Amino acid sequence: MTAVTYLEAISQAIREEMRRDESVFLLGEDVGTYGGAFKVSAGFLEEFGPERVIDTPMSETAIIGSAVGAALMGMRPIAEMQYIDFITCGFDQIVNMACKMYWRSGIPLPLVIRGPAGGGTHGGPFHSASPEAWFFHTPGIKVVMPATTYDAKGLLKAAIRDNNPVLYLEHKLLYRLPELREELPSEDYIVPLGKAIIRRRGRHMTMLTYGAMVHQCLKAAEQLASEDGLAVEVVDLRSLTPLDRQTIKESVMRTNKVLIVHEDTLTGGVGAELAALLAEELFDYLDGPIMRVAAPDAPYPYAPPLEMAYLPGVERIVAVARQLAAY
Amino acid sequence: MPTPVKFPRLGESVAEGTVAAWLKREGDYVEKDEALAEVVTDKVNAELPSPVAGRLVKILVPADQTVPVGTAIALVEEEGAGAEVAEEARAGQSESGSVAAAQPAPVGEQVTSAAAVQRGTSALSVAAEAVTAEPHDGQQPGERQRISPLARRLAREHGIDLNEIKGTGVGGRVRKEDILAYLEQRQLGEQTIQAPAAAAVTLQPGPASTAGVSTAAGAARGPEPVAVGPDEEVVVPDRMRLAIAEHMVRSKRTAPHATTVVEVDMTAIARWLERNKEEFKRREGYSISYVPFVMKAVCEGIRKVPLINSSWTEDNRIIVKKRIHLGVAVATDSGLVVPTIHDADQYTIAGLARRLNEVAQRARSNRLTVQDLQGSTFVVNNPGTFGTILSVPIINQPHAAILSMDAVVKRPVVTEDDAIAIRYMMYLCLSFDHRILDGAGAATFLQAVRAKLQSYGPEIDVY
């Protein structure tokens, strides 16, 4: 058995689910003949045929709209956004159709919308987005963001089997990262939605994070341990909706200090909700302000040095963590 | 379990100190009370005795490192006990993801979670009310204004006055670590230092009162930048100077000072000293001055006015101390220290001279012990050595008063029979806490001291 990349884990998950359940099918721009912009679905057309691997016109409204319709008819579509930035074109189909369907009709809507998100690949303002906060705010859709290869496969399988609309955000910087190569279990497995995981244990503060920032936080925690003797706990949320409040709260009750790190912009981001939740429910357990490290309130820049400055990195996380630890 | 050796509290306002040198190495055997290390604080350099006999198994704080008072700096394994040293377990690594084949989530789940959110919210509002309604019991006027919610909760749970804790956070903020360390210290700490006067020690207010810490810490850590003119020079005060500054500010702010002065005819004592000083030193090996005479008289004064030997507590009580432990101000090269002569009233004048000599020697050679700096109940100050004739001293908190003896000088004095005579005169200045005493009480005390000092004839039995 060989170690696979984050990207290959995603590909494996879709392929295995399509083999397992005939109602699962894939649709999106270039997913067929071309094998997907990032080659997630390479070879799928040959294996599953054009009825289950559908090349669509360049219209996210159409892709998501068709997927919603197919799900209503009992299928389990996986709609790929070539870059997640363009999910905004299908926003109405998600927010007004997919998210409200169960409330309106009582009919389950098993739909997965997936696509590459996140910066660091010099994609500029139209090919880098972190759109999670828009959907995190919207009731009726689950939002998932894996950080590791194991989770990428397990969470996607869980998402495909879920009877609700799930937005599955892949961080494209992680797609082929050599250090994320991992040997995956040969047997079928899922990672349940709504369960966070503690990636590193510590007692001085909790870092709440998800996606690619998990790795930045782990590096920062390592540096803080060796240079400052600080034991930092890193919690990978994995699912933003449903949010694993239990794990978050238990960690904060142990460490009493919280640093929230996300790649998305600061204002109104997921971190704001986490901060509000902790302030409301764990006020008596806080030994310092709830602090956040996030991107500035601006679109992703194109220029590589600017993008480097824009993305939260180890240096900034360490600096803010020190400030919080000393508080 | 090894016995932790804590950094001792050396002096009233000392909150931290430095391990200057280790006198023993790991693995060495130490007797109980044998010196383990040299420690330096704002107030004093001292040797740290081992609390138990045994083997020094672990040095936790290396030399030259500064730590808060109460920090465990070494572990001594008592004889017969196991030798292993408990190490704190470090952070574990992450758990691995589970391979559970979970069921697809039911469609109705979101409804359930929405209900849960609502329940959570109502529970929250209740909790919020509870927090708001929490009375700020025991909050002192000088209490830190910004305290983290956790610190407040822990303080409430453990019945701690946060003013007693020195914070190590930004701006002296009390953090979780500080409270946990304090609790640990409270459990173990008292065993380390055998205070000779338990009552006196327990009555001393916390070393790190709000004002004190913030003043000292602020001055030490983040001094305001000052503009220096061409004809000016900046001197950065050392730790001892800062500590004295802080303590004086606190004392002056805590107690409303009033000062009253009497004039004492010291002629008999002066003549006795002129005749006997050399002989006394030759015979006893230490010198004698006016100070032990005044100390003896002060003890008598305290017997007449016990209220002068007391403390005003934060909950507005007056604690009168039954034992008389006189602090004596000693000027050293590095600054002023006030070692204690415990049970001063139990000594003869010669005995006081001897004890005075001992502590002064130790103070000047940086050999004062922990006990030397603890438990004083009243201070005798002697600026007269430097030729002053009138002083207004500041009370050494938490005392009720302080006495300054100024220079004994020859002056023409009108005597009882209206003659003018040359007499050896001295002013005694008493600063007292006007919360505890009024002028009458202070004057009664001074009269008693004066009466004693003037009671001597040509022959004085100092033994």
PDB file of all heavy atoms in Angstrom, chain B residues 178-197:
ATOM      1  N   ASP B 178      -0.605  32.158  38.411  1.00  0.00           N
ATOM      2  CA  ASP B 178      -0.272  32.820  39.676  1.00  0.00           C
ATOM      3  C   ASP B 178      -1.145  32.283  40.803  1.00  0.00           C
ATOM      4  O   ASP B 178      -0.689  32.061  41.916  1.00  0.00           O
ATOM      5  CB  ASP B 178      -0.475  34.333  39.556  1.00  0.00           C
ATOM      6  CG  ASP B 178       0.380  34.918  38.439  1.00  0.00           C
ATOM      7  OD1 ASP B 178       1.510  34.429  38.263  1.00  0.00           O
ATOM      8  OD2 ASP B 178      -0.086  35.829  37.760  1.00  0.00           O
ATOM      9  N   ILE B 179      -2.423  32.089  40.489  1.00  0.00           N
ATOM     10  CA  ILE B 179      -3.341  31.614  41.522  1.00  0.00           C
ATOM     11  C   ILE B 179      -3.002  30.175  41.897  1.00  0.00           C
ATOM     12  O   ILE B 179      -2.959  29.831  43.079  1.00  0.00           O
ATOM     13  CB  ILE B 179      -4.793  31.727  41.045  1.00  0.00           C
ATOM     14  CG1 ILE B 179      -5.127  33.205  40.838  1.00  0.00           C
ATOM     15  CG2 ILE B 179      -5.750  31.087  42.042  1.00  0.00           C
ATOM     16  CD1 ILE B 179      -6.527  33.460  40.406  1.00  0.00           C
ATOM     17  N   LEU B 180      -2.721  29.366  40.893  1.00  0.00           N
ATOM     18  CA  LEU B 180      -2.400  27.963  41.185  1.00  0.00           C
ATOM     19  C   LEU B 180      -1.112  27.885  42.003  1.00  0.00           C
ATOM     20  O   LEU B 180      -1.015  27.117  42.965  1.00  0.00           O
ATOM     21  CB  LEU B 180      -2.266  27.173  39.887  1.00  0.00           C
ATOM     22  CG  LEU B 180      -3.567  27.103  39.050  1.00  0.00           C
ATOM     23  CD1 LEU B 180      -3.341  26.311  37.783  1.00  0.00           C
ATOM     24  CD2 LEU B 180      -4.708  26.512  39.865  1.00  0.00           C
ATOM     25  N   ALA B 181      -0.138  28.721  41.642  1.00  0.00           N
ATOM     26  CA  ALA B 181       1.119  28.725  42.391  1.00  0.00           C
ATOM     27  C   ALA B 181       0.869  29.179  43.828  1.00  0.00           C
ATOM     28  O   ALA B 181       1.422  28.632  44.780  1.00  0.00           O
ATOM     29  CB  ALA B 181       2.127  29.643  41.715  1.00  0.00           C
ATOM     30  N   TYR B 182      -0.017  30.167  43.954  1.00  0.00           N
ATOM     31  CA  TYR B 182      -0.320  30.682  45.291  1.00  0.00           C
ATOM     32  C   TYR B 182      -0.995  29.608  46.142  1.00  0.00           C
ATOM     33  O   TYR B 182      -0.660  29.427  47.318  1.00  0.00           O
ATOM     34  CB  TYR B 182      -1.230  31.905  45.165  1.00  0.00           C
ATOM     35  CG  TYR B 182      -1.683  32.486  46.488  1.00  0.00           C
ATOM     36  CD1 TYR B 182      -0.890  33.404  47.172  1.00  0.00           C
ATOM     37  CD2 TYR B 182      -2.901  32.111  47.046  1.00  0.00           C
ATOM     38  CE1 TYR B 182      -1.308  33.930  48.378  1.00  0.00           C
ATOM     39  CE2 TYR B 182      -3.324  32.630  48.252  1.00  0.00           C
ATOM     40  CZ  TYR B 182      -2.523  33.545  48.911  1.00  0.00           C
ATOM     41  OH  TYR B 182      -2.940  34.059  50.100  1.00  0.00           O
ATOM     42  N   LEU B 183      -1.919  28.889  45.517  1.00  0.00           N
ATOM     43  CA  LEU B 183      -2.618  27.838  46.259  1.00  0.00           C
ATOM     44  C   LEU B 183      -1.637  26.759  46.707  1.00  0.00           C
ATOM     45  O   LEU B 183      -1.699  26.272  47.840  1.00  0.00           O
ATOM     46  CB  LEU B 183      -3.711  27.218  45.390  1.00  0.00           C
ATOM     47  CG  LEU B 183      -4.940  28.102  45.178  1.00  0.00           C
ATOM     48  CD1 LEU B 183      -5.873  27.464  44.169  1.00  0.00           C
ATOM     49  CD2 LEU B 183      -5.662  28.334  46.499  1.00  0.00           C
ATOM     50  N   GLU B 184      -0.734  26.430  45.800  1.00  0.00           N
ATOM     51  CA  GLU B 184       0.263  25.417  46.132  1.00  0.00           C
ATOM     52  C   GLU B 184       1.141  25.907  47.283  1.00  0.00           C
ATOM     53  O   GLU B 184       1.413  25.195  48.235  1.00  0.00           O
ATOM     54  CB  GLU B 184       1.118  25.139  44.899  1.00  0.00           C
ATOM     55  CG  GLU B 184       1.924  23.876  44.997  1.00  0.00           C
ATOM     56  CD  GLU B 184       2.931  23.778  43.862  1.00  0.00           C
ATOM     57  OE1 GLU B 184       2.775  24.504  42.873  1.00  0.00           O
ATOM     58  OE2 GLU B 184       3.868  22.993  43.999  1.00  0.00           O
ATOM     59  N   GLN B 185       1.497  27.165  47.162  1.00  0.00           N
ATOM     60  CA  GLN B 185       2.344  27.759  48.197  1.00  0.00           C
ATOM     61  C   GLN B 185       1.608  27.775  49.536  1.00  0.00           C
ATOM     62  O   GLN B 185       2.174  27.489  50.574  1.00  0.00           O
ATOM     63  CB  GLN B 185       2.710  29.178  47.788  1.00  0.00           C
ATOM     64  CG  GLN B 185       3.650  29.880  48.739  1.00  0.00           C
ATOM     65  CD  GLN B 185       3.648  31.380  48.481  1.00  0.00           C
ATOM     66  OE1 GLN B 185       3.125  31.862  47.486  1.00  0.00           O
ATOM     67  NE2 GLN B 185       4.237  32.127  49.389  1.00  0.00           N
ATOM     68  N   ARG B 186       0.317  28.093  49.449  1.00  0.00           N
ATOM     69  CA  ARG B 186      -0.458  28.175  50.691  1.00  0.00           C
ATOM     70  C   ARG B 186      -0.522  26.815  51.368  1.00  0.00           C
ATOM     71  O   ARG B 186      -0.516  26.718  52.578  1.00  0.00           O
ATOM     72  CB  ARG B 186      -1.858  28.692  50.378  1.00  0.00           C
ATOM     73  CG  ARG B 186      -2.622  29.115  51.606  1.00  0.00           C
ATOM     74  CD  ARG B 186      -3.805  29.971  51.271  1.00  0.00           C
ATOM     75  NE  ARG B 186      -4.872  29.190  50.660  1.00  0.00           N
ATOM     76  CZ  ARG B 186      -6.083  29.689  50.400  1.00  0.00           C
ATOM     77  NH1 ARG B 186      -6.351  30.946  50.674  1.00  0.00           N
ATOM     78  NH2 ARG B 186      -7.000  28.939  49.848  1.00  0.00           N
ATOM     79  N   GLN B 187      -0.569  25.765  50.546  1.00  0.00           N
ATOM     80  CA  GLN B 187      -0.631  24.421  51.121  1.00  0.00           C
ATOM     81  C   GLN B 187       0.697  23.999  51.726  1.00  0.00           C
ATOM     82  O   GLN B 187       0.749  23.401  52.781  1.00  0.00           O
ATOM     83  CB  GLN B 187      -1.041  23.421  50.039  1.00  0.00           C
ATOM     84  CG  GLN B 187      -2.537  23.437  49.803  1.00  0.00           C
ATOM     85  CD  GLN B 187      -2.940  22.549  48.642  1.00  0.00           C
ATOM     86  OE1 GLN B 187      -2.085  22.015  47.958  1.00  0.00           O
ATOM     87  NE2 GLN B 187      -4.216  22.416  48.406  1.00  0.00           N
ATOM     88  N   LEU B 188       1.762  24.319  51.027  1.00  0.00           N
ATOM     89  CA  LEU B 188       3.063  23.791  51.427  1.00  0.00           C
ATOM     90  C   LEU B 188       3.948  24.833  52.091  1.00  0.00           C
ATOM     91  O   LEU B 188       4.827  24.523  52.871  1.00  0.00           O
ATOM     92  CB  LEU B 188       3.804  23.249  50.204  1.00  0.00           C
ATOM     93  CG  LEU B 188       3.160  22.059  49.512  1.00  0.00           C
ATOM     94  CD1 LEU B 188       3.774  21.866  48.147  1.00  0.00           C
ATOM     95  CD2 LEU B 188       3.320  20.808  50.345  1.00  0.00           C
ATOM     96  N   GLY B 189       3.679  26.095  51.716  1.00  0.00           N
ATOM     97  CA  GLY B 189       4.648  27.163  51.997  1.00  0.00           C
ATOM     98  C   GLY B 189       5.002  27.342  53.448  1.00  0.00           C
ATOM     99  O   GLY B 189       6.170  27.493  53.791  1.00  0.00           O
ATOM    100  N   GLU B 190       4.005  27.296  54.332  1.00  0.00           N
ATOM    101  CA  GLU B 190       4.283  27.667  55.712  1.00  0.00           C
ATOM    102  C   GLU B 190       5.303  26.742  56.362  1.00  0.00           C
ATOM    103  O   GLU B 190       6.015  27.131  57.278  1.00  0.00           O
ATOM    104  CB  GLU B 190       2.997  27.673  56.541  1.00  0.00           C
ATOM    105  CG  GLU B 190       2.088  28.854  56.253  1.00  0.00           C
ATOM    106  CD  GLU B 190       1.155  28.579  55.092  1.00  0.00           C
ATOM    107  OE1 GLU B 190       1.035  27.397  54.719  1.00  0.00           O
ATOM    108  OE2 GLU B 190       0.576  29.528  54.557  1.00  0.00           O
ATOM    109  N   GLN B 191       5.366  25.513  55.875  1.00  0.00           N
ATOM    110  CA  GLN B 191       6.299  24.584  56.512  1.00  0.00           C
ATOM    111  C   GLN B 191       7.747  24.993  56.275  1.00  0.00           C
ATOM    112  O   GLN B 191       8.627  24.712  57.070  1.00  0.00           O
ATOM    113  CB  GLN B 191       6.094  23.184  55.935  1.00  0.00           C
ATOM    114  CG  GLN B 191       4.687  22.688  56.117  1.00  0.00           C
ATOM    115  CD  GLN B 191       4.357  21.595  55.118  1.00  0.00           C
ATOM    116  OE1 GLN B 191       5.222  21.140  54.392  1.00  0.00           O
ATOM    117  NE2 GLN B 191       3.111  21.188  55.095  1.00  0.00           N
ATOM    118  N   THR B 192       7.992  25.617  55.139  1.00  0.00           N
ATOM    119  CA  THR B 192       9.371  25.920  54.773  1.00  0.00           C
ATOM    120  C   THR B 192       9.988  26.919  55.730  1.00  0.00           C
ATOM    121  O   THR B 192      11.115  26.775  56.183  1.00  0.00           O
ATOM    122  CB  THR B 192       9.412  26.486  53.349  1.00  0.00           C
ATOM    123  OG1 THR B 192       8.556  25.716  52.556  1.00  0.00           O
ATOM    124  CG2 THR B 192      10.814  26.462  52.808  1.00  0.00           C
ATOM    125  N   ILE B 193       9.247  27.957  56.026  1.00  0.00           N
ATOM    126  CA  ILE B 193       9.814  28.997  56.873  1.00  0.00           C
ATOM    127  C   ILE B 193       9.192  28.911  58.251  1.00  0.00           C
ATOM    128  O   ILE B 193       8.000  29.089  58.422  1.00  0.00           O
ATOM    129  CB  ILE B 193       9.536  30.382  56.271  1.00  0.00           C
ATOM    130  CG1 ILE B 193      10.109  30.432  54.871  1.00  0.00           C
ATOM    131  CG2 ILE B 193      10.123  31.467  57.137  1.00  0.00           C
ATOM    132  CD1 ILE B 193       9.601  31.584  54.059  1.00  0.00           C
ATOM    133  N   GLN B 194       9.979  28.616  59.225  1.00  0.00           N
ATOM    134  CA  GLN B 194       9.502  28.571  60.600  1.00  0.00           C
ATOM    135  C   GLN B 194       9.537  29.980  61.159  1.00  0.00           C
ATOM    136  O   GLN B 194      10.577  30.470  61.563  1.00  0.00           O
ATOM    137  CB  GLN B 194      10.398  27.655  61.434  1.00  0.00           C
ATOM    138  CG  GLN B 194      10.259  26.187  61.070  1.00  0.00           C
ATOM    139  CD  GLN B 194       8.951  25.603  61.561  1.00  0.00           C
ATOM    140  OE1 GLN B 194       8.490  25.977  62.623  1.00  0.00           O
ATOM    141  NE2 GLN B 194       8.363  24.709  60.799  1.00  0.00           N
ATOM    142  N   ALA B 195       8.415  30.610  61.138  1.00  0.00           N
ATOM    143  CA  ALA B 195       8.414  31.981  61.634  1.00  0.00           C
ATOM    144  C   ALA B 195       8.443  31.975  63.150  1.00  0.00           C
ATOM    145  O   ALA B 195       7.689  31.251  63.777  1.00  0.00           O
ATOM    146  CB  ALA B 195       7.180  32.698  61.138  1.00  0.00           C
ATOM    147  N   PRO B 196       9.288  32.759  63.754  1.00  0.00           N
ATOM    148  CA  PRO B 196       9.395  32.761  65.203  1.00  0.00           C
ATOM    149  C   PRO B 196       8.161  33.367  65.866  1.00  0.00           C
ATOM    150  O   PRO B 196       7.794  32.984  66.947  1.00  0.00           O
ATOM    151  CB  PRO B 196      10.628  33.615  65.475  1.00  0.00           C
ATOM    152  CG  PRO B 196      10.795  34.448  64.256  1.00  0.00           C
ATOM    153  CD  PRO B 196      10.232  33.668  63.120  1.00  0.00           C
ATOM    154  N   ALA B 197       7.560  34.303  65.236  1.00  0.00           N
ATOM    155  CA  ALA B 197       6.391  34.924  65.839  1.00  0.00           C
ATOM    156  C   ALA B 197       5.207  34.708  64.934  1.00  0.00           C
ATOM    157  O   ALA B 197       4.920  35.503  64.056  1.00  0.00           O
ATOM    158  CB  ALA B 197       6.634  36.414  66.034  1.00  0.00           C
TER     159      ALA B 197
END
